[in-house]
Amino acid sequence: MRWKEQLLTLTPYQPGKSIEAVKKQYKLDQIVKLASNENPFGCSEQVLTALQSNQTSLAIYPDGYTTNLRETLASFLQVDEDELIFGNGSDNLIQIISRALLHPNANSIMATPTFSQYKHNAVIEGAVSKEIPLLNGEHDLEAMLAAIDEQTNVIWLCSPNNPTGTYIPENKLIAFLEKVPSDILVVLDEAYFEYVVADDYYDSVNLARKYENLIVLRTFSKIYGLAALRIGYGVANRSIIKALEPAREPFNVNSLGQLAASAAIKDQEFIKVCKEKNRQGLEQFYQFCGENELDFYPSQTNFILIDCKMDGDQVFQHLLERGYIVRSGKALGFPTGVRITVGSYEQNVGVLKALGESLAISKTE
Ligand code: PMP
């Protein structure tokens, strides 16, 4: 078969290890997964109630226009309904954007390390990826601007960035948007937006209304605790949405997901509580790093990248054997790091105890 040549250079996305696989392999009863930045507190009770009382027939295709969710979200964000696009997770929106704008004569610019799927989708479309190294863990916006050329069709910004947890301050983002030519789409991936507490963070939805070449991507997979139902959305002006819509597959957002996300938006108290608990959880990690003289990036997200000053795969393996699944920094561009999702108070205590043991063992090995 004549596969696209570039496909042969790719491996499928490597998700965090599954709980079931680890339980079986290590014969452990209790496994805690802190690898995929999911919400340790699950989702709002109101979502569960809505799902239980739902009348949705599984035999009927989902609403292809996402009518109710669109209405609820538009009103929540104070945007027009035609300024929204929905995806089967924000992964799907990254794919749609790539499909619509990238091809072998185009390039896209992104930071490195950042979320893997920008480059992955660019490769599938045969486009060149210009990867601009982070500067002290942050997007190097000057260098990203300098990388723009005639073939640049998309610039990917991940703020807060996965895997560093760092963000782009408002003044820097605005100065950047002012300079990007208006025929280049800037994608601002804000998967962790709801966790941000920084004072100099921006109002991205307002920016999307102001800059005609900006699309903001968000998701219900993180703080909303609905990763299994796969709902992401994009906010942009209506001409961007209109151009992207034909590249969206029909019925890409499932019925239960639409129902759950609509209910989830209505419970902002749950989001507030999760955000607060996350900040308290991050403090546990900061304290541990302070006590153990480990470097980390201050995080605006529900994960933290810690430099363990030893092989990230080795730390990962130690933690796995103690029942904690985290992400080795090795595959994420930080060979001596681990990325750990902030869990509940008890989960954090547990994983940090195990991490302390791993560090101690490594010193005696
Ligand atoms: N963007 C970023 C930065 C992410 O970390 C993730 C999840 N790992 C996604 C997008 C995709 O999230 P989802 O498809 O679940 O919405």
Side-chain angles (χ1 to χ4, degrees):
M1 259 169 279
R2 289 177 283 277
W3 300 109
K4 282 184 175 181
E5 249 174 54
Q6 61 268 28
L7 265 190
L8 309 176
T9 69
L10 293 174
T11 49
Y13 179 74
Q14 299 289 322
K17 272 185 181 285
S18 84
I19 293 181
E20 288 316 314
V22 175
K23 259 190 189 166
K24 207 166 154 192
Q25 188 177 355
Y26 294 96
K27 302 193 170 45
L28 292 165
D29 296 332
Q30 194 69 10
I31 302 289
V32 177
K33 182 171 173 237
L34 300 172
S36 302
N37 311 331
E38 293 140 336
N39 187 342
F41 309 108
C43 67
S44 157
E45 284 290 331
Q46 293 182 30
V47 169
L48 300 177
T49 309
L51 286 174
Q52 272 153 16
S53 58
N54 99 85
Q55 304 289 318
T56 309
S57 164
L58 297 183
I60 305 292
Y61 282 108
D63 173 359
Y65 187 65
T66 333
T67 312
N68 287 336
L69 173 57
R70 185 180 295 273
E71 208 178 284
T72 310
L73 187 61
S75 138
F76 177 66
L77 297 176
Q78 301 277 290
V79 299
D80 292 333
E81 291 182 17
D82 55 3
E83 293 173 316
L84 295 172
I85 183 168
F86 292 89
N88 186 34
S90 48
D91 277 336
N92 181 216
L93 292 165
I94 296 168
Q95 186 184 33
I96 291 170
I97 292 166
S98 303
R99 199 164 176 205
L101 283 162
L102 297 182
H103 51 77
N105 295 321
N107 67 58
S108 75
I109 299 172
M110 64 203 73
T112 183
T114 191
F115 186 49
S116 60
Q117 292 304 291
Y118 317 138
K119 183 172 180 190
H120 188 94
N121 280 284
V123 171
I124 292 175
E125 301 305 335
V128 169
S129 296
K130 294 191 176 191
E131 297 179 85
I132 311 298
L134 297 175
L135 198 58
N136 303 321
E138 293 177 16
H139 280 59
D140 184 349
L141 295 177
E142 287 302 319
M144 293 180 93
L145 279 175
I148 294 175
D149 64 24
E150 290 289 301
Q151 271 76 47
T152 304
N153 278 4
V154 179
I155 302 177
W156 307 94
L157 301 179
C158 188
S159 175
N161 188 43
N162 181 1
T164 50
T166 50
Y167 70 106
I168 302 173
E170 178 174 33
N171 58 352
K172 289 192 182 169
L173 178 63
I174 291 177
F176 176 81
L177 291 171
E178 287 292 333
K179 289 186 196 140
V180 176
S182 60
D183 59 351
I184 297 175
L185 184 69
V186 178
V187 181
L188 180 57
D189 182 347
E190 277 196 309
Y192 302 94
F193 153 76
E194 294 86 357
Y195 286 110
V196 174
V197 296
D199 288 336
D200 56 350
Y201 199 71
Y202 39 81
D203 181 336
S204 59
V205 170
N206 265 346
L207 293 177
R209 299 196 106 190
K210 179 167 177 205
Y211 293 93
E212 63 185 34
N213 58 335
L214 177 65
I215 185 165
V216 173
L217 305 186
R218 292 191 186 157
T219 180
F220 285 88
S221 300
K222 305 299 176 185
I223 206 166
Y224 284 96
L226 298 176
L229 292 174
R230 316 297 302 122
I231 319 270
Y233 64 93
V235 188
N237 72 64
R238 54 183 62 83
S239 61
I240 293 181
I241 303 294
K242 198 169 165 217
L244 288 174
E245 275 292 332
R248 181 177 67 80
E249 70 192 76
F251 314 115
N252 62 333
V253 183
N254 72 83
S255 308
L256 297 179
Q258 294 188 28
L259 186 76
S262 301
I265 294 168
K266 291 175 188 146
D267 188 0
Q268 288 302 312
E269 185 55 29
F270 175 77
I271 302 304
K272 202 172 133 211
V273 170
C274 292
K275 179 176 179 174
E276 182 53 35
K277 285 190 187 160
N278 183 64
R279 284 328 292 180
Q280 292 164 1
L282 274 170
E283 289 301 328
Q284 292 174 265
F285 285 87
Y286 292 167
Q287 195 185 340
F288 175 88
C289 290
E291 286 164 6
N292 290 276
E293 294 176 359
L294 298 176
D295 291 335
F296 61 92
Y297 291 113
S299 175
Q300 293 296 322
T301 63
N302 66 336
F303 58 83
I304 181 167
L305 182 68
I306 302 175
D307 184 357
C308 297
K309 299 183 190 139
M310 59 184 276
D311 187 280
D313 283 357
Q314 217 180 331
V315 183
F316 165 83
Q317 190 58 34
H318 275 146
L319 293 181
L320 195 63
E321 287 162 17
R322 287 161 181 74
Y324 293 92
I325 313 177
V326 302
R327 282 302 286 266
S328 164
K330 223 171 198 179
L332 304 172
F334 290 92
T336 58
V338 284
R339 193 196 67 193
I340 308 179
T341 303
V342 177
S344 64
Y345 175 81
E346 293 75 22
Q347 289 173 336
N348 300 336
V349 169
V351 75
L352 289 173
K353 182 166 174 280
L355 182 57
E357 287 163 11
S358 305
L359 297 173
I361 290 173
S362 80
K363 281 186 190 136
T364 58
E365 268 172 4

